[in-house]
Amino acid sequence: MIAVNLDVVLAQRKMTLTQLSREVGVTVVNLSLLKTGKAKGVRFSTLDKICRALDCQPGDLLEWRPDPQP
Amino acid sequence: MVCKQLARCCKISLAGGCLCLAAVYLVAVPGVATGLLRRAPELADRFWPWLLLVESTALPCILVALWGWKLTGEIGRGNAFSGESARLVKRASTALLLDAALFLAGNVVYFLLGISHSAVALLALFVCAAAAVFGLAARALAQLVGEAARLREDSELVI
């Protein structure tokens, strides 16, 4: 599974989801979906805007983890 | 805005259709039946079975009209491609198919009981076939709407 570490990077940059939403132009609701792992995907254009706003690499935001054991 | 106008037009058409159906089932069918009975009193024993069979086909029509009304509401809210819309269309198709099956079964039983005529049975077969085609078309539409709803949901969850 792909885990999204948006909350970690936001904490490191001392930025809130609302601030990021304003900078990136994506609603707080959608960013929250991304943060909580409920999103089904992320467009490259959105990833580009988030990385630009947080000054980070896509690898800082996205991490592959093995699926949890049932 | 287009959705709202379309929904309004659909509601008006549906209301008109319901009025026509009411006229058919409440006025035309009993009227024709009593007229036939007056002209041919020897058919008295067939009056009530046939009237009940024909009037029983009204219930699925009422259900289809109700679900159609809900569907127009979904369309008006811009929710044409949704799971709920797919479910409503699927229910309507099931009702149409059941209606056709009920009418066909009734006709077969009446033919076997000798209270029908072969020409009537043949005509009923054609009517049921037409209803079944509409029912299957509605089922295919429900499948398409369901797939579109899944695609829309996936698309909405892509940030």
Side-chain angles (χ1 to χ4, degrees):
Chain A
M1 60 173 258
I2 301 290
V4 180
N5 298 321
L6 183 61
D7 48 349
V8 171
V9 181
L10 278 172
Q12 285 169 354
R13 303 289 186 271
K14 292 182 178 53
M15 198 187 276
T16 64
L17 210 60
T18 314
Q19 288 169 320
L20 181 65
S21 156
R22 258 185 256 125
E23 285 210 29
V24 164
V26 173
T27 62
V28 173
V29 171
N30 281 350
L31 283 178
S32 181
L33 283 172
L34 191 60
K35 195 180 87 161
T36 53
K38 289 184 182 142
K40 292 225 164 139
V42 60
R43 293 186 178 90
F44 283 142
S45 55
T46 307
L47 195 57
D48 173 49
K49 286 177 197 167
I50 293 173
C51 289
R52 198 184 298 276
L54 295 175
D55 187 28
C56 67
Q57 291 292 320
D60 299 330
L61 291 168
L62 306 172
E63 180 192 340
W64 179 83
R65 288 180 201 158
D67 290 326
Q69 295 291 330
Chain B
M1 194 52 123
V2 175
C3 297
K4 282 190 167 45
Q5 285 169 346
L6 178 64
R8 205 178 303 128
C9 290
C10 288
K11 280 188 171 164
I12 292 167
S13 307
L14 202 54
C18 288
L19 283 170
C20 291
L21 267 177
V24 164
Y25 280 110
L26 298 175
V27 177
V29 167
V32 165
T34 39
L36 271 170
L37 189 62
R38 239 181 274 121
R39 265 180 268 139
E42 66 274 15
L43 300 174
D45 60 333
R46 300 169 194 206
F47 177 80
W48 283 112
W50 273 104
L51 188 65
L52 282 170
L53 178 64
V54 173
E55 294 289 348
S56 69
T57 60
L59 182 61
C61 295
I62 293 168
L63 290 173
V64 169
L66 276 169
W67 291 325
W69 192 266
K70 279 189 175 179
L71 183 63
T72 55
E74 291 292 319
I75 293 171
R77 280 188 288 273
N79 239 7
F81 291 136
S82 65
E84 181 59 20
S85 298
R87 270 188 293 276
L88 289 168
V89 178
K90 193 175 178 186
R91 276 184 216 160
S93 85
T94 306
L96 270 173
L97 290 168
L98 281 174
D99 203 9
L102 169 77
F103 193 60
L104 183 65
N107 270 277
V108 167
V109 167
Y110 288 179
F111 185 73
L112 292 172
L113 288 174
I115 57 172
S116 180
H117 189 271
S118 50
V120 172
L122 196 62
L123 184 65
L125 189 65
F126 285 126
V127 169
C128 292
V133 164
F134 279 114
L136 286 170
R139 184 55 64 97
L141 185 64
Q143 181 72 16
L144 288 170
V145 172
E147 287 295 326
R150 270 185 285 277
L151 283 170
R152 184 191 169 187
E153 204 184 281
D154 277 352
S155 165
E156 279 174 355
L157 289 175
V158 171
I159 311 301

